[in-house]
Amino acid sequence: MASYLIMTPPGAAADDERARFVADGFSWTAFFFPALWLFAKRAWLLGIPVAVLQILLISLSTFPGGFVPAFLMHLALSLLVSLEGPLVVAGLLSAKDWTLRRIVPAQDLETAERIYYSGAAGQGEKATPLQSATWSGKGRTGNSTGPDFFESYGER
């Protein structure tokens, strides 16, 4: 089961139809085409170094004894982009002042949309930015114990 991060544009209501549903999980497209996937998601500053690294790894594989190291490095790069790429997309949206409204566990996108929009009307304008898990200085007991890792991210 995947988790979907639901983000809305700056100043938009919780039930705005422009909300983006970012699947927090493994992306096969990002695994097989890491640089192209980053370019398609408009992560230019990450896509360019990944593309350059892929080209260097392809040229390294042509040297004698270079195929296995190049293959392993390319595999590691593909795994990194496919596992962390969706969170990069959410971070880029957050940098553009998009608001994380809710995290919904669902089997697919259609189910996540149904769950979110059925509860978005009652959610009101209570929203939390993606960077809200910063050091708050107070734990649940009210004393200064460190960051509140269990705070709500807009879910009920």
Side-chain angles (χ1 to χ4, degrees), residues 5-31:
L5 295 107
I6 294 100
M7 302 186 77
T8 56
D15 59 349
D16 193 323
E17 62 186 37
R18 295 175 296 160
R20 293 269 312 261
F21 288 73
V22 180
D24 181 20
F26 187 85
S27 170
W28 284 103
T29 308
F31 180 77

Side-chain angles (χ1 to χ4, degrees), residues 6-8 13-16 19 21 101-104 111-121 123:
I6 294 100
M7 302 186 77
T8 56
D15 59 349
D16 193 323
F21 288 73
R101 294 289 178 167
R102 197 166 169 197
I103 299 174
V104 176
T111 306
E113 288 175 344
R114 193 172 349 104
I115 292 170
Y116 176 69
Y117 286 120
S118 67
Q123 192 176 10

Side-chain angles (χ1 to χ4, degrees), residues 76-95:
L77 178 66
S78 294
L79 281 173
L80 180 66
V81 172
S82 62
L83 289 171
E84 296 299 326
L87 291 179
V88 168
V89 171
L92 291 172
L93 290 173
S94 178

Side-chain angles (χ1 to χ4, degrees), residues 24-152:
D24 181 20
F26 187 85
S27 170
W28 284 103
T29 308
F31 180 77
F32 289 113
F33 309 104
L36 295 176
W37 186 86
L38 287 168
F39 290 143
K41 300 296 180 181
R42 297 183 183 200
W44 308 108
L45 293 177
L46 292 173
I48 292 171
V50 168
V52 168
L53 187 56
Q54 283 183 298
I55 292 168
L56 289 174
L57 290 174
I58 289 170
S59 65
L60 174 67
S61 69
T62 61
F63 291 110
F67 178 77
V68 173
F71 175 75
L72 292 175
M73 286 189 278
H74 194 275
L75 182 66
L77 178 66
S78 294
L79 281 173
L80 180 66
V81 172
S82 62
L83 289 171
E84 296 299 326
L87 291 179
V88 168
V89 171
L92 291 172
L93 290 173
S94 178
K96 295 177 184 174
D97 292 330
W98 282 57
T99 305
L100 176 65
R101 294 289 178 167
R102 197 166 169 197
I103 299 174
V104 176
Q107 294 287 14
D108 56 4
L109 178 61
E110 185 177 314
T111 306
E113 288 175 344
R114 193 172 349 104
I115 292 170
Y116 176 69
Y117 286 120
S118 67
Q123 192 176 10
E125 291 301 314
K126 182 176 78 172
T128 307
L130 188 60
Q131 296 94 358
S132 67
T134 57
W135 187 275
S136 64
K138 292 186 178 183
R140 292 201 177 272
T141 59
N143 58 7
S144 180
T145 59
D148 188 6
F149 293 112
F150 302 106
E151 71 181 31
S152 171

